[in-house]
Structures are given as C-alpha cells and as structure tokens.
Amino acid sequence: MRYIHLDVLADEAGLAMPPNEIARIFQDPKVANEKLGGVAGVDAMFMKIYQGLIVLPSANKSYRSLFLALSTSATSPNVFHCTNGKDRTGWAAASLLTLLGVPKDKVYEDYLKSNDYLLPFHQKAIDEFVAKGGDAAIPIAIFGVKHSYLDAAFNEMHRRYGTIERYFSEGLNINTAQQKKLREIYLTPNVSL
C-alpha cells in the first residue's frame, strides 16, 4: 500500500475553521457561533472552500496528482479520502464522475448520500453541541453536505473553464490522452446509468 498526502487547501488563507479544528470549535457553541457567524456563515465558508477547490494552486496540484495516480491501473485499487470524506473528497468524486460522463443528477445524488452516513456518524457531537445551547443547523452544515456547496465548485469550474474536459486539461494539466486513460480504466462498455 502506498499513502500519498495531498494538501488541497494549503493555499487557502483565512479559513474560519481549518478541517483539523472541527472538534475543538464545538467545545463552546458561543465561540462557534461568533467564529463562524451562524449557519449562514458556515454556508458562506463552505461556498468559498468549494470555489477554492477549483482556483487554488494547491488544489489544482493536488487534484492533478490524485487523478494521475488514478489513471495508472497498476496502482489499483485506490481509496481517496479527506478529514470528513465529503468536501475535498466530494469534489474529487464529483469531478471524476462528471469526466466519466455520469449525468449531473446522479453526481449530485451520490454526493448528497454523504448526509445519510455522515450525519448519523456525528449525531453524538451534534447532540452535545445542542445540549450546550448551540444551534443544530451549525454542526449539520459542517458535518453534512448541501447541493449549494457542490454548485459553488461546478459554477466556478464552468465560469473558468466551460467544460469538465477543459478543467482537467487547463486547470489540472491533464491532457486528452490522460483523460481518455481515466475513462478506459473506470468505464465499463455498454453499461447504462
């Protein structure tokens, strides 16, 4: 097994809550609310993060490394993950599925399934936050995913590049041949979605 660490958000300055500080901020709901600005602040933070997944040099470098690693059948099977397995990982999965031609509604359906697994997993932390006087919507917005978060990434990608193929070629410097290799590895012929 080979472990590769990719710091997607290394170039993101001023995150209200870096991914590795999630547990600490939930110790005091008042501090969480002040630092994050309530659920509206959390949503704005995640929208910024998802836009950053497209524009940050560290994100482009990291996703390039990830997709090039995935394009080598010799390294399969592969697992990719992040702190909570939904944001940086969510964009990786959504962009790969889109490149593979999966319909947008199916990409979103897959992405939103994260809530079915993550929110119950974090229910104890959510309940403790609420018991301390916190608004449940804050940890739900942090631990879960929203359609609008993924929209922010796709909208930024379309604004800058127009298509997923151009995002891969111009944003990630993954050429047409390399994109084709990804399709060859991950698509099964004659299977309809």
Side-chain angles (χ1 to χ4, degrees):
M1 179 166 71
R2 192 172 119 205
Y3 176 81
I4 301 170
H5 178 263
L6 303 171
D7 194 352
V8 173
L9 297 176
D11 295 331
E12 178 62 74
L15 272 180
M17 183 184 57
N20 59 351
E21 293 185 23
I22 290 171
R24 184 183 61 78
I25 202 156
F26 285 124
Q27 299 304 310
D28 186 345
K30 183 179 177 186
V31 170
N33 197 45
E34 289 172 6
K35 187 166 177 84
L36 299 171
V39 72
V42 172
D43 286 345
M45 177 184 70
F46 275 101
M47 303 281 274
K48 181 180 178 192
I49 288 170
Y50 276 73
Q51 289 169 332
L53 299 177
I54 308 304
V55 302
L56 293 172
S58 58
N60 291 336
K61 179 182 174 188
S62 294
Y63 287 124
R64 173 182 164 68
S65 295
L66 171 66
F67 293 126
L68 289 178
L70 292 175
S71 71
T72 306
S73 58
T75 63
S76 291
N78 297 286
V79 174
F80 55 94
H81 208 282
C82 59
T83 303
N84 205 27
K86 65 177 184 80
D87 302 312
R88 292 162 290 173
T89 297
W91 175 247
S95 59
L96 177 60
L97 290 172
T98 302
L99 180 71
L100 297 177
V102 175
K104 188 174 182 178
D105 64 321
K106 295 293 184 188
V107 171
Y108 275 81
E109 181 181 313
D110 182 67
Y111 170 75
L112 292 169
K113 280 184 185 175
S114 298
N115 288 330
D116 297 343
Y117 302 98
L118 291 172
L119 294 178
F121 179 78
H122 291 292
Q123 192 60 54
K124 182 179 176 189
I126 294 167
D127 292 343
E128 289 173 0
F129 186 78
V130 171
K132 293 177 184 178
D135 178 0
I138 293 173
I140 289 171
I142 291 170
F143 293 133
V145 295
K146 294 183 180 182
H147 198 282
S148 60
Y149 298 168
L150 193 54
D151 279 346
F154 273 117
N155 290 342
E156 188 65 29
M157 185 272 297
H158 284 295
R159 188 181 74 74
R160 288 181 175 266
Y161 303 106
T163 67
I164 194 71
E165 291 81 8
R166 284 188 55 213
Y167 164 67
F168 270 74
S169 64
E170 296 173 22
L172 305 181
N173 196 24
I174 296 176
N175 66 37
T176 303
Q178 293 163 318
Q179 292 176 42
K180 181 180 177 192
K181 184 69 174 168
L182 282 165
R183 288 183 183 105
E184 289 171 355
I185 291 171
Y186 296 103
L187 288 177
T188 304
N190 301 320
V191 174
S192 64
L193 299 172

